[in-house]
Amino acid sequence: MTWRRLAAGGLAMLVLLAALAMGAAIGETRIPLDVVGKTLANRLWGAGYGLDPIDEGVVWHYRVARALVAAACGAALAVCGAVLQSMLRNALADPYLLGISAGASSGAVSVAILGLGGGFLSLSLGALIGALVAFGLVALLALKAGRGAAAIILAGIAGSQLFSALTSFIVTKSANAEQARGIMFWLLGNLSGVRWPDVGLALPVALIGCLVCIAHARALDAFAFGANAAAALGIAVRRMQVIMFGATALMTAIMVSIVGSIGFVGLVIPHAARALVGVRHHALLPVSALLGAVFMIAADILSRTIIPGQVLPIGVMTALFGAPAFAVILMQRPVTR
Amino acid sequence: MLAARNLTWRAGGRTILSGISLMAAESEFLAIVGPNGSGKSSLLTLLAGLRPPRAGQVLLRGVDLQDIRRRDVARVIALVEQQAETGERLTARQAVKLGRTPHLGPLRPWSRQDDRIVDAALASVGMTGFASRPWPSLSGGERQRLHIARALAQAPRILILDEPTNHLDVEHQLGLLELVRARDLTVIAALHDLNHAAMFADRIAVLDRGRLVATGRPAEILTPRLLAEIFHVDARVEPGPDGRCFIRLLGVSRPAPEECPAR
């Protein structure tokens, strides 16, 4: 059993590393894999290979950072989706259910268009604050509405609608066409501006967040028959709700503030992972993280290469290629009553 | 073993239970009966410690349930709810394995012992052959038996059952009640079928509109008069061995519908 787990973990790391290497090699200009490897060797332990400084710069400063952030976002969103689907017992739950992406967009437009913060707030920070404010409101509303799964989902819908309306209001009232277009691109998800400092934020948040969720895998399993059944199995349901909703909200808010609200990953990757390894969270969460990371890197590569000379928003790619793949998974599920 | 003192529960502005005092002794089978809406499920939820009562307390061996860690409660008390469904595609065995949750932790991983307990629980409800079947493919009765197996895998001292015989055919109804009575367990079960209560319970508690109206041995409690007053049915009660009885239902008592306006 332990050996099998070690082998699975090793295989997962290999797949992830291969995806990262592809992310660094493929782009507008194709850079051979050996150059990617040598760049990493130069940067990580000063191997001193002679390389074209432009190639080396592109690989290190742009592509590696970008691929790492994509992986972190994909893993975090997929794990958040899996956790929320289990806690709320709803197959349609995704990381944005609790008002986070709507709040983030309101925060972002408040900074970018209304000039909130007087230039001291970045777009990212504005988005993060907006996301957390929205989540706070949704949490408060859910608390008042009775804490049940239905109450939480409805509170999330109310919060999301409110903040979406607020965003539309600000955009239509104050933005010029150029700003409105810029905001729309940001909302669809964008990895173009990603640099190393973003890696420094995204990677630890994704790692710690995913580990916190995986540490609660057994308690998440116990929610299969609902919160009451979980309580009867000895789970402190309130505490669990605070930790899980808090952790997923924080992870999602930080990812959205770095790359915008990339859809589809958090909804669909957990279902794909369930089809592969079943419903037990010890396996489901790590596999969701791996699939999410690889899927996001692949979507990023496609978004950069599918139309020569143009970068598409990654959110468009995740849905455009993810939806058909998901349809295939759905159709292959065994039919049961 | 488990005692309720002056329990009160309100929901949606209505008083569901008021002033319930009740106790179940070690290894006793206590049946809770009462018409629809009399508060049986709410009472079981409070007895299992899933919610804090509005007033009063539930004592487990003399300690208030609200002062005991959830996990420690779950090692002693197992609950089978009336409707517990899942959309997850877990297998029958995985559902039963959940019963081991309160006994596992970071320093106490899954062991062969747990596997043996789960196998025994599956066997005791006759579901061994169904172990790898996915949940959505199982019938209502099969699911109900698995819920019981899950509760048994929890290795509790007290088993709280809410309408455990729902969805079961006659053979499995009796089989299940015999199974839980044969165990050295304290059983508290809400039962709809009064004959089940009469056959299996050591004592019966009767709830009506949130109040406890009677407790005692089956033959003392299930009298034609009580059946007419509380359940609005005419019945003949035949005495059985050791304080038990058999109930022959004759029909709905006639004046009752006017007395009891639709709720």
Side-chain angles (χ1 to χ4, degrees):
Chain A
M1 196 63 199
T2 339
W3 282 112
R4 264 181 61 190
R5 249 183 235 170
L6 275 177
L11 188 68
M13 284 318 290
L14 277 181
V15 171
L16 187 58
L17 285 176
L20 285 169
M22 299 303 262
I26 304 170
E28 238 179 305
T29 52
R30 204 167 269 260
I31 295 172
L33 276 174
D34 69 299
V35 176
V36 172
K38 283 175 182 165
T39 304
L40 290 180
N42 281 356
R43 294 286 173 158
L44 293 178
W45 57 87
Y49 290 108
L51 292 173
D52 178 351
I54 294 179
D55 278 359
E56 189 175 341
V58 166
V59 167
W60 183 252
H61 290 295
Y62 298 101
R63 293 201 188 155
V64 171
R66 190 175 172 139
L68 283 172
V69 168
C73 278
L77 290 176
V79 166
C80 289
V83 167
L84 290 178
Q85 285 166 9
S86 298
M87 292 282 295
L88 297 171
R89 309 177 70 214
N90 191 314
L92 292 176
D94 81 348
Y96 305 139
L97 182 80
L98 303 173
I100 286 164
S101 74
S105 59
S106 295
V109 297
S110 302
V111 169
I113 298 173
L114 297 182
L116 223 66
F120 287 104
L121 285 181
S122 67
L123 193 77
S124 288
L125 203 56
L128 182 61
I129 293 169
L132 294 178
V133 167
F135 171 68
L137 270 178
V138 167
L140 209 64
L141 183 56
L143 216 61
K144 292 281 170 203
R147 292 196 182 92
I152 295 168
I153 292 170
L154 290 174
I157 289 173
S160 296
Q161 294 291 337
L162 175 69
F163 282 91
S164 301
L166 194 64
T167 306
S168 308
F169 180 76
I170 297 170
V171 170
T172 44
K173 189 164 180 303
S174 317
N176 57 39
E178 194 55 38
Q179 280 175 320
R181 194 179 135 84
I183 289 294
M184 202 197 89
F185 264 86
W186 185 84
L187 287 179
L188 282 169
N190 192 347
L191 283 160
S192 298
V194 164
R195 300 290 179 272
W196 275 101
D198 300 312
V199 179
L201 181 60
L203 214 54
V205 165
L207 268 177
I208 294 170
C210 290
L211 285 178
V212 166
C213 293
I214 291 170
H216 289 84
R218 187 168 285 131
L220 284 167
D221 287 342
F223 274 80
F225 290 96
N228 260 357
L233 288 169
I235 306 300
V237 171
R238 291 269 176 81
R239 204 179 121 242
M240 183 74 182
Q241 284 178 332
V242 170
I243 296 174
M244 289 293 109
F245 291 137
T248 53
L250 211 57
M251 268 202 276
T252 310
I254 287 171
M255 295 311 157
V256 169
S257 76
I258 299 173
V259 300
S261 49
I262 299 170
F264 205 77
V265 180
L267 174 64
V268 158
I269 295 295
H271 289 296
R274 274 191 202 95
L276 277 178
V277 295
V279 297
R280 293 206 50 237
H281 290 81
H282 277 299
L284 175 63
L285 294 183
V287 170
S288 293
L290 176 70
L291 284 185
V294 172
F295 179 76
M296 194 77 117
I297 294 171
D300 181 46
I301 294 173
L302 276 174
S303 76
R304 283 183 282 139
T305 51
I306 198 160
I307 303 178
Q310 195 181 346
V311 177
L312 283 175
I314 186 169
V316 174
M317 282 301 120
T318 54
L320 212 56
F321 285 87
F326 184 55
V328 172
I329 294 172
L330 266 187
M331 284 186 296
Q332 282 179 344
R333 276 178 17 144
V335 180
T336 46
R337 65 170 126 161
Chain B
M1 188 79 185
L2 193 68
R5 265 198 210 149
N6 231 350
L7 282 185
T8 297
W9 176 248
R10 267 192 291 276
R14 256 187 61 202
T15 301
I16 310 286
L17 296 169
S18 64
I20 307 266
S21 292
L22 187 71
M23 79 97 161
E26 185 93 41
S27 306
E28 184 180 37
F29 191 132
L30 175 68
I32 297 177
V33 301
N36 291 143
S38 56
K40 300 186 294 290
S41 294
S42 302
L43 177 58
L44 294 186
T45 313
L46 294 184
L47 290 177
L50 296 194
R51 293 197 187 90
R54 289 297 173 93
Q57 43 184 191
V58 180
L59 303 172
L60 174 62
R61 294 175 182 136
V63 185
D64 192 327
L65 269 193
Q66 299 304 316
D67 297 336
I68 310 176
R69 285 195 318 159
R70 214 29 268 165
R71 189 180 155 83
D72 294 333
V73 173
R75 288 177 181 174
V76 183
I77 303 179
L79 168 73
V80 176
E81 293 175 284
Q82 198 175 147
Q83 284 149 341
E85 265 315 319
T86 185
E88 302 278 17
R89 297 180 54 79
L90 31 71
T91 63
R93 191 161 205 283
Q94 284 172 335
V96 176
K97 281 172 83 172
L98 290 178
R100 297 307 297 156
T101 304
H103 301 279
L104 303 171
L107 301 175
R108 165 68 175 82
W110 188 269
S111 67
R112 293 221 178 110
Q113 172 72 7
D114 296 303
D115 273 322
R116 275 194 291 273
I117 292 171
V118 168
D119 290 338
L122 274 167
S124 69
V125 296
M127 290 294 287
T128 304
F130 292 74
S132 56
R133 285 269 297 272
W135 189 263
S137 74
L138 298 166
S139 74
E142 289 159 354
R143 292 177 192 186
Q144 184 67 5
R145 281 148 69 195
L146 289 170
H147 280 307
I148 304 284
R150 197 239 310 127
L152 293 176
Q154 218 170 316
R157 295 293 314 135
I158 302 173
L159 189 55
I160 298 182
L161 308 167
D162 195 354
E163 309 284 0
T165 52
N166 272 2
H167 305 295
L168 296 182
D169 55 40
V170 176
E171 177 197 346
H172 286 110
Q173 289 179 6
L174 298 186
L176 184 131
L177 291 168
E178 276 170 8
L179 167 75
V180 296
R181 192 179 57 180
R183 305 247 160 173
D184 182 28
L185 283 175
T186 302
V187 179
I188 304 175
L191 295 174
H192 255 310
D193 190 322
L194 297 174
N195 272 312
H196 287 165
M199 279 172 74
F200 290 99
D202 298 310
R203 278 190 311 139
I204 295 178
V206 184
L207 279 187
D208 187 33
R209 284 171 263 179
R211 292 180 175 279
L212 188 64
V213 292
T215 51
R217 313 262 304 155
E220 300 160 19
I221 295 295
L222 299 173
T223 58
R225 186 157 161 226
L226 180 130
L227 295 172
E229 273 174 14
I230 305 293
F231 294 93
H232 310 301
V233 290
D234 290 327
R236 224 179 0 242
V237 180
E238 294 159 11
D242 3 295
R244 300 190 182 281
C245 57
F246 303 99
I247 299 164
R248 284 193 60 190
L249 297 171
L250 304 173
V252 176
S253 12
R254 279 306 141 206
E258 285 84 30
E259 278 173 24
C260 179
R263 271 186 274 175

